[in-house]
């Protein structure tokens, strides 16, 4: 049961809202007296499901203790996002009782600069919450363009390429990453496949993505298992479609399905070579003289 003294300590502000401005001066904070005040519902219970999802949430246990890492990928500034981030962190702390850390990953400098600001939630005289994200962007993630350096930390190289995907350094990073993947053992094929897929996702629809597909169509030859052969075939087929698309060669839906569905690496190699100069689907699919190739 709530005591009467408890009630009095907050209801006095209902009775006299202007009291807040007067007593705040004792705390060294100057709030203007209210022109008007209206009571709001004190029931903050959610009466309907409210879906809020953080991109990635990880509990990190360290020698110094545990914390929860919330990772958000942000492609552009959003005036509504800081409030959502504050909600995420408050909810995580209330739910798990573990200190939260917010990491925001931004692929461009403008967004990174916006996200790196301190966001104060509350009136300027005394913000009740201060949001301080950690931010990764092109300016503080290094360009990794050495195959040896890429091999030492492939995940960091993938992040480097994703954050520099629209910059001149992207080609060098991707070439270094391709060579690093080539150095993986046959036992690491599954991991390599995951890295390859992550890299393609991280490049989006940029020109760097086209280069990556080409590199994978050529450089996956070091893997020999059935899984690797499938990845290699898919990469070559995608490269054929990309080259033809860039050159403006028209393809029917049937032509596209024929390319995408081909699983013969030798045929795909032939088509990839022809895609550089072919002016039509007929030239691409013309029988190879004396080669014995069939699709």
């Amino acid at each position: 049961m709530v005591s009467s003294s408890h009630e009095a300590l907050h209801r006095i502000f209902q009775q006299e809202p202007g009291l807040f401005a007067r007593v705040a001066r004792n705390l060294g904070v100057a709030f203007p007296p209210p022109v008007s005040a209206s009571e709001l519902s004190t029931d903050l219970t959610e009466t309907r499901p409210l879906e809020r999802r953080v991109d990635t949430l990880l509990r990190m246990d360290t020698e110094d203790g545990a914390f929860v890492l919330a990772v958000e990928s942000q492609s552009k500034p959003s005036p509504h996002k800081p409030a959502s981030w504050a909600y995420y962190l408050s909810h995580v702390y209330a739910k798990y009782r573990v200190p939260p850390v917010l990491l925001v990953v931004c692929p461009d400098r403008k967004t990174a600069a916006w996200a790196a600001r301190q966001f104060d939630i509350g009136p300027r005289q005394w913000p009740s919450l201060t949001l301080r994200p950690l931010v990764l962007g092109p300016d503080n993630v290094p360009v990794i363009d050495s195959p040896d350096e890429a091999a030492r930390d492939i995940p960091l190289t993938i992040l480097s390429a994703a954050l520099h995907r629209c910059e001149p350094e992207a080609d060098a990073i991707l070439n270094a990453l391709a060579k690093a993947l080539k150095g993986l053992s046959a036992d690491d094929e599954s991991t390599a496949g995951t890295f390859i897929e992550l890299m393609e996702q991280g490049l989006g629809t940029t020109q760097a993505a086209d280069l990556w597909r080409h590199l994978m169509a050529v450089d996956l030859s070091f893997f020999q298992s059935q899984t690797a052969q499938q990845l290699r075939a898919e990469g070559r087929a995608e490269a054929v479609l990309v080259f033809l698309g860039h050159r403006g060669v028209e393809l029917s839906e049937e032509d596209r399905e024929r390319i995408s569905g081909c699983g013969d690496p030798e045929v795909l190699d032939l088509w990839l070579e022809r895609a550089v100069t072919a002016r039509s689907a007929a030239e691409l699919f013309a029988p190879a003289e004396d080669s014995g190739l069939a699709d």
Side-chain angles (χ1 to χ4, degrees):
M1 177 181 295
V2 178
S3 67
S4 58
S5 60
H6 173 93
E7 290 290 294
L9 289 176
H10 67 83
R11 287 187 62 187
I12 186 61
F13 292 96
Q14 297 177 18
Q15 184 66 32
E16 176 52 50
L19 175 62
F20 170 68
R22 299 196 295 274
V23 298
R25 297 193 191 102
N26 297 331
L27 304 175
V29 185
F31 281 92
V35 176
S36 65
S38 56
E39 289 190 35
L40 303 177
S41 172
T42 59
D43 187 354
L44 303 182
T45 305
E46 295 287 353
T47 58
R48 59 184 176 82
L50 182 63
E51 184 172 337
R52 293 183 185 270
R53 294 183 183 275
V54 66
D55 289 339
T56 288
L57 196 63
L58 302 169
R59 178 187 170 110
M60 313 286 274
D61 293 293
T62 75
E63 293 180 353
D64 294 332
F67 65 92
V68 172
L69 179 64
V71 185
E72 283 279 284
S73 176
Q74 191 70 21
S75 59
K76 61 182 179 181
S78 169
H80 307 294
K81 205 63 180 181
S84 296
W85 290 338
Y87 179 94
Y88 297 162
L89 298 184
S90 298
H91 182 82
V92 164
Y93 187 58
K95 182 175 182 179
Y96 297 106
R97 299 296 180 182
V98 177
V101 174
L102 174 63
L103 175 65
V104 183
V105 187
C106 307
D108 67 86
R109 290 178 170 80
K110 179 181 178 181
T111 304
W114 166 80
R117 294 183 301 165
Q118 175 175 300
F119 295 97
D120 293 327
I121 300 175
R124 61 177 177 79
Q125 293 91 343
W126 193 265
S128 297
L129 292 175
T130 297
L131 186 70
R132 299 175 60 208
L134 291 173
V135 178
L136 291 177
D139 285 335
N140 55 17
V141 172
V143 171
I144 299 178
D145 53 10
S146 159
D148 290 340
E149 188 178 0
R152 285 193 291 270
D153 198 334
I154 289 178
L156 178 60
T157 307
I158 292 173
L159 181 62
S160 175
L163 292 180
H164 294 91
R165 62 193 182 194
C166 294
E167 301 184 2
E169 298 85 357
D171 289 5
I173 300 172
L174 293 175
N175 274 290
L177 177 59
K179 290 180 173 64
L181 289 173
K182 192 171 183 177
L184 293 178
S185 67
D187 294 336
D188 293 322
E189 284 187 20
S190 178
T191 301
T194 300
F195 287 152
I196 291 165
E197 183 179 357
L198 276 173
M199 189 68 271
E200 184 164 350
Q201 291 175 348
L203 296 173
T205 58
T206 60
Q207 290 184 350
D210 296 337
L211 172 63
W212 181 245
R213 294 188 190 99
H214 173 66
L215 287 172
M216 291 300 95
V218 174
D219 286 348
L220 276 179
S221 57
F222 52 89
F223 290 138
Q224 298 300 325
S225 73
Q226 184 175 355
T227 300
Q229 290 174 9
Q230 181 180 355
L231 287 170
R232 186 157 61 249
E234 291 174 358
R236 282 184 168 89
E238 180 67 20
V240 172
L241 292 172
V242 167
F243 279 134
L244 293 174
H246 280 181
R247 298 187 55 250
V249 177
E250 294 187 4
L251 295 174
S252 67
E253 191 61 32
E254 183 180 353
D255 294 332
R256 292 181 176 277
E257 291 179 359
R258 182 178 179 183
I259 295 170
S260 299
C262 180
D264 188 327
E266 293 186 17
V267 172
L268 287 167
D269 280 344
L270 176 64
W271 289 349
L272 186 58
E273 181 181 345
R274 289 178 174 178
V276 179
T277 58
R279 292 167 294 181
S280 66
E283 289 188 15
L284 181 76
F285 297 135
E289 296 181 3
D290 300 326
S291 67
L293 292 177
D295 61 302

